[in-house]
Amino acid sequence: MNILDKIVLRKKEEIAAAKALVSVQDLENSVHFKRTPYVFKEFLLADNRTGIIAEFKRRSPSKGLINGIADVAEVTQAYNAAGASALSVLTDVDFFGGKTDDILAARAANNIPILRKDFMIDEYQILEAKAWGADIILLIASILTPQQINDFGRFAKDLGLNVLLEVHNLEELERSICPNLDAIGVNNRNLADFTVDIQTSFDLVNKIPDEFLKISESAISNPQTIKELKAAGFNGFLIGENFMKTDNPGASIKEFVAQI
């Protein structure tokens, strides 16, 4: 069993526990459930934004603890001020050190789209995302069937949420494309063994239909890489660890953006 299998197994337990604690009606009655989500595309392509989806991440299975002291509101506000087009906030508890309060704090402090970064395998999690103030959900092709991707995408779109599909190779891309998506992200990190290779993005960019926003995710640590990815046709760039591993993630993104 690889790390991804372990995460999904644990996720099923988490969801069952969450359903027992918080009903669907409770989620639907939450304050954020009634808000209209931001349109991802508008912010990703805005002239005054960078295309960067800046991630708040405390730890990961591959790196262990990345940053145990950063304040989510402070960091995400700094990301926003530096021109991030969107924020990515981890909500997985056991493997990434995330929590619900992180996304709520990020929402309270910012007026740009927020991606709920988690391993979505149940419609209940999509309702949670809406209730917590997220604007975008992530669907990971390697843990979902094409039918699930289509159904979850439609469910999310009906709630007004934006949908980002994540793929790791051509096979996942070809079997997962459906109308109920806004963006397709190429994860340069193999979630089975956590190795990274930026070439994955360059190999797949022209295979993604132009009707979708194109995002490159992970392994981006050099401003020059952003320039090359843009030239290749990418609209967005998900970066987390590169900023979070520093003492001051806000200063780190500001310095990075100045070099793009």
Side-chain angles (χ1 to χ4, degrees):
M1 186 184 289
N2 64 33
I3 188 68
L4 193 55
D5 297 329
K6 290 177 184 174
I7 291 171
V8 171
L9 203 61
R10 176 68 186 115
K11 198 58 55 180
K12 289 176 181 176
E13 297 171 350
E14 275 180 30
I15 294 164
K19 286 179 177 178
L21 275 176
V22 183
S23 70
V24 167
Q25 189 173 1
D26 287 338
L27 292 174
E28 291 175 341
N29 287 337
S30 66
V31 175
H32 290 311
F33 205 89
K34 297 166 184 64
R35 68 177 281 272
T36 301
Y38 293 115
V39 179
F40 185 29
K41 184 175 184 177
E42 289 179 4
F43 285 79
L44 199 69
L45 303 183
D47 290 338
N48 63 337
R49 295 279 162 183
T50 59
I52 292 173
I53 303 158
E55 189 159 271
F56 186 87
K57 175 165 65 173
R58 289 193 175 83
R59 59 185 169 93
S60 77
S62 59
K63 300 286 184 179
L65 185 67
I66 297 167
N67 192 325
I69 58 168
D71 177 78
V72 63
E74 184 182 315
V75 169
T76 55
Q77 280 180 313
Y79 284 166
N80 187 348
S85 291
L87 306 167
S88 172
V89 180
L90 266 296
T91 55
D92 176 81
V93 180
D94 288 1
F95 296 89
F96 290 86
K99 51 190 178 185
T100 308
D101 284 349
D102 287 343
I103 204 163
L104 292 170
R107 174 76 291 146
N110 294 282
N111 58 352
I112 60 174
I114 296 176
L115 165 70
R116 180 192 179 182
K117 186 81 175 291
D118 212 319
F119 300 80
M120 313 292 272
I121 56 171
D122 192 294
E123 283 185 354
Y124 181 85
Q125 294 168 288
I126 301 172
L127 292 170
E128 283 181 328
K130 173 79 169 170
W132 299 346
D135 306 275
I136 312 161
I137 63 151
L138 180 72
L139 300 179
I140 302 174
S142 59
I143 61 172
L144 299 170
T145 65
Q147 187 66 55
Q148 285 176 310
I149 290 166
N150 187 57
D151 292 349
F152 289 165
R154 184 188 302 115
F155 187 75
K157 300 284 275 180
D158 286 346
L159 292 171
L161 294 166
N162 303 262
V163 182
L164 168 60
L165 172 72
E166 177 177 294
V167 301
H168 302 84
N169 55 49
L170 184 59
E171 186 271 329
E172 285 180 5
L173 174 64
E174 290 180 339
R175 69 174 158 85
S176 304
I177 290 174
C178 68
N180 298 311
L181 308 170
D182 297 285
I184 296 178
V186 178
N187 194 340
N188 302 304
R189 176 174 280 114
N190 182 322
L191 287 183
D193 60 16
F194 281 82
T195 54
V196 292
D197 185 0
I198 194 75
Q199 187 59 40
T200 309
S201 281
F202 293 106
D203 290 345
L204 291 183
V205 63
N206 292 323
K207 308 290 186 183
I208 301 172
D210 289 338
E211 66 199 83
F212 303 109
L213 296 165
K214 302 181 184 186
I215 316 289
S216 181
E217 306 173 8
S218 302
I220 302 171
S221 57
N222 189 323
Q224 180 59 31
T225 305
I226 297 265
K227 294 174 185 175
E228 292 167 5
L229 288 166
K230 271 187 181 176
F234 282 99
N235 312 110
F237 321 92
L238 194 146
I239 307 175
E241 189 180 300
N242 190 60
F243 305 139
M244 288 300 296
K245 70 184 180 184
T246 65
D247 291 336
N248 189 333
S252 179
I253 187 175
K254 191 175 179 182
E255 188 180 313
F256 187 94
V257 167
Q259 297 175 63
I260 295 177

